[in-house]
Amino acid sequence: MTIVSRLLPLASIRRRRRLITVLAGLTLLFFLVIYFAQSHSSGNPRTYRRPGTPLDSDLTAVHRPPPQLRLPSIKDSLAVGFNPETDPAIQAEIRKFHKQYNKLNKFKLNQMAFPKSLTLQSRVRLSSGFEMPVLGFGVYMAYGEEVINAVYHALKTGYRHIDSATLYENEREVGVAIKKWIHDTGAKREDVFFTTKVWDTDQGYNNTKKAINWSLRECDLGYIDLYLIHSPYPGRQLRKETWQAMEEAVQEGKIRSIGVSNYGIKHLKEMESYAKIKPSVNQLEVHPFLTRKELVEYCKERDIVVEAFCPITRGLKFNDTRVQSLVAKHKRTPAQIMLRWSLQRGMVPLPKSSTPKRIEENAQLFDFSLSDNDMELLMTNEYYIVDWDPTNVA
């Protein structure tokens, strides 16, 4: 009796252990079933890669992270505590800008290969030999059906130049809209100029090659018309490696033209020491309240086309008295005045809107022009940053 009573607790412990093991196994199996069911579900076809997620050549849709609820501002990627209003380097550049502003030669209109008489169908010849429409359509912070509908309407309106980026997480939707428009109209792939960019966390030789393949797969357009380095933040070595990978992609026929974004004069000078293919484009924040006169002239002298993002200051300067005086004079919207200013400076503006009426209005720029006095009025001596300004980083 004593031996039996001693064995009973031991048997009970063993049963409890077996039960816990079985329950743990069933729990793991349950979560695995749920995971694979969600991964293969057809009810949520949209998949995304958060910027900075490693790229693998054999990555498939079921392994991609779920979509973000909201894409953070690019400013969120800056160093903690960074403030351009107090940063010594940027403030030094601002003082230099104000000091040299009046010493610069007066801006020149319609320089480089810009046609003298502009239309919505006008194109500028890049140093790569390819041509780019003089008016682009931006898709930053637009997702899903919103961006598909906006791009499709823009193409119907007459835009032929769409500007996206890996960071924007909408390359796939832009591709869908372009392919739908081509199918519906009988147009050709060559009729649309598609731009995208490699984000900072994907820079470097190997990462950039993977990022290019990723973008090609996402947009599904066969090739990329223009591929840009999104910013110079990652530093000289990674910038150099990234450019090498981009040059190879040009040789492989994956990309037609390559360029940079947010590059200052020192970054462009740096490239001269290693670039076998010079940049065709430098995409910058440029508008009447951030004219970047010296940098724009530097690019033009080297046959680098300047693309202007935030060309209408996201509406923040619509009520400026100088803008309003030209609105009254020409009977145009503030956005049209600012966009026409960019065009007449020989730049390629990239307005963004999801509203059909505004998409159409922003394309109605070719039946009026600004006089030299109008242009000079909008060449303000301000340094008004709407988005970000990496042109001064090391």
Side-chain angles (χ1 to χ4, degrees), residues 35-93:
Y35 171 78
F36 283 108
Q38 290 180 342
S39 297
H40 290 81
S41 171
S42 60
N44 183 21
R46 298 188 66 213
T47 51
Y48 298 87
R49 180 178 66 83
R50 187 181 182 89
T53 303
L55 287 161
D56 296 316
S57 58
D58 60 346
L59 194 63
T60 57
V62 297
H63 295 127
R64 299 175 195 165
Q68 295 175 243
L69 294 179
R70 175 185 177 275
L71 186 66
S73 166
I74 294 178
K75 291 180 180 178
D76 295 342
S77 67
L78 301 179
V80 176
F82 177 84
N83 184 357
E85 300 289 341
T86 58
D87 183 77
I90 288 184
Q91 291 304 309
E93 289 291 331

Side-chain angles (χ1 to χ4, degrees), residues 113-365:
F114 263 74
K116 293 182 179 179
S117 180
L118 294 174
T119 70
L120 186 53
Q121 287 71 45
S122 295
R123 290 178 173 244
V124 56
R125 182 171 292 277
L126 304 177
S127 60
S128 62
F130 292 97
E131 294 185 336
M132 177 173 68
V134 298
L135 181 66
F137 184 76
V139 295
Y140 178 53
M141 290 296 285
Y143 308 97
E145 291 297 322
E146 175 191 358
V147 71
I148 292 174
N149 293 335
V151 170
Y152 187 82
H153 189 76
L155 291 169
K156 283 178 58 180
T157 300
Y159 293 82
R160 296 293 181 267
H161 176 181
I162 312 299
D163 180 83
S164 183
T166 301
L167 179 69
Y168 304 170
E169 295 194 332
N170 56 22
E171 292 167 304
R172 176 179 296 184
E173 286 78 1
V174 169
V176 167
I178 292 174
K179 288 182 290 185
K180 183 179 187 303
W181 178 79
I182 291 173
H183 174 270
D184 292 350
T185 61
K188 301 176 182 177
R189 163 66 182 89
E190 293 76 15
D191 295 332
V192 182
F193 191 96
F194 172 70
T195 300
T196 191
K197 314 174 191 73
V198 57
W199 180 234
D200 294 358
T201 49
D202 291 333
Q203 287 199 41
Y205 180 78
N206 290 326
N207 281 345
T208 299
K209 292 183 80 71
K210 293 175 182 177
I212 291 169
N213 289 334
W214 171 277
S215 292
L216 281 168
R217 186 170 59 236
E218 287 290 281
C219 72
D220 192 30
L221 293 172
Y223 63 89
I224 296 168
D225 291 280
L226 177 63
Y227 196 72
L228 306 178
I229 297 178
H230 209 137
S231 93
Y233 268 113
R236 178 185 173 89
Q237 184 58 36
L238 289 181
R239 293 194 292 262
K240 180 179 179 180
E241 292 180 14
T242 298
W243 193 253
Q244 180 185 351
M246 290 165 61
E247 288 178 327
E248 290 180 8
V250 171
Q251 300 300 323
E252 295 165 357
K254 296 177 179 179
I255 298 169
R256 290 193 165 182
S257 304
I258 52 179
V260 295
S261 182
N262 299 294
Y263 268 42
I265 292 176
K266 59 185 174 183
H267 305 123
L268 296 173
K269 287 182 177 179
E270 169 193 292
M271 293 188 72
E272 295 175 1
S273 66
Y274 59 76
K276 297 177 182 177
I277 302 175
K278 72 176 185 179
S280 295
V281 165
N282 189 10
Q283 188 178 121
L284 304 162
E285 179 182 332
V286 188
H287 45 74
F289 305 92
L290 184 62
T291 60
R292 297 194 189 276
K293 193 171 185 180
E294 184 179 11
L295 178 52
V296 170
E297 292 298 332
Y298 185 91
C299 290
K300 288 182 178 181
E301 289 169 1
R302 286 153 183 80
D303 201 21
I304 301 172
V305 173
V306 175
E307 288 186 319
F309 71 82
C310 294
I312 58 176
T313 68
R314 294 182 182 161
L316 297 176
K317 287 288 191 176
F318 280 1
N319 292 326
D320 181 88
T321 55
R322 289 158 291 193
V323 174
Q324 284 298 317
S325 68
L326 296 181
V327 166
K329 176 181 177 180
H330 294 279
K331 309 302 180 188
R332 298 286 173 157
T333 68
Q336 289 171 333
I337 295 295
M338 291 190 192
L339 291 171
R340 183 69 200 189
W341 177 88
S342 290
L343 287 172
Q344 290 188 207
R345 279 194 75 195
M347 300 187 295
V348 176
L350 304 168
K352 180 259 179 178
S353 179
S354 296
T355 306
K357 182 181 178 182
R358 293 208 179 110
I359 291 173
E360 295 164 12
E361 285 180 350
N362 291 344
Q364 295 167 1
L365 310 173

